[in-house]
Amino acid sequence: MYNLWKLISFTRVKIIFGEKMKAKFNENNEGFLLTFDLPRELLSERKRINLELKRISAKKIQFSIWKSEKLEELMRIAIFIKQAGGNARILEEKFIF
């Protein structure tokens, strides 16, 4: 079994403007962001990754930045990206202003 802490770089993204401002926004809208980079010659792997992200109902923010609330599925996809020779990061979304 893969050591997930070695394979995936986690970065926590936090922006806090005080309790009053934080209370105005819906905290249930939190999720995780997957960012990845693959070499251009890995077209079939890129297509498989995009299909998997659509299957878990992830939302495409930019070309290789996707948002989802399903951390386990994103971790599985990130492991596949790293095994294919790419780079993947998962960011935890805490608060967006």
Side-chain angles (χ1 to χ4, degrees):
M1 187 167 176
Y2 297 104
N3 186 348
L4 296 178
W5 296 110
K6 288 183 180 177
L7 289 174
I8 301 172
S9 299
F10 286 95
T11 304
R12 292 182 180 237
V13 178
K14 287 187 178 182
I15 303 171
I16 301 173
F17 291 106
E19 294 302 317
K20 289 182 182 179
M21 185 66 102
K22 193 173 180 182
K24 290 182 181 180
F25 295 94
N26 184 2
E27 290 185 3
N28 293 332
N29 200 18
E30 293 177 0
F32 300 94
L33 299 174
L34 171 67
T35 65
F36 67 92
D37 186 34
L38 279 176
R40 292 190 184 270
E41 57 270 3
L42 299 177
L43 295 176
S44 61
E45 287 83 357
R46 184 179 302 277
K47 184 173 181 178
R48 179 176 172 192
I49 291 163
N50 287 338
L51 289 174
E52 286 294 316
L53 288 164
K54 289 178 185 176
R55 184 187 63 80
I56 66 168
S57 302
K59 295 179 182 172
K60 187 176 186 179
I61 296 174
Q62 286 186 354
F63 186 68
S64 60
I65 301 175
W66 293 73
K67 178 181 176 181
S68 176
E69 295 179 0
K70 300 175 182 177
L71 178 60
E72 293 82 16
E73 295 292 324
L74 289 178
M75 290 173 67
R76 184 180 56 78
I77 295 168
I79 290 170
F80 175 77
I81 293 168
K82 289 192 176 249
Q83 288 175 343
N87 185 11
R89 295 191 187 277
I90 297 176
L91 301 129
E92 183 179 4
E93 181 182 61
K94 284 293 190 182
F95 179 78
I96 298 177
F97 179 68

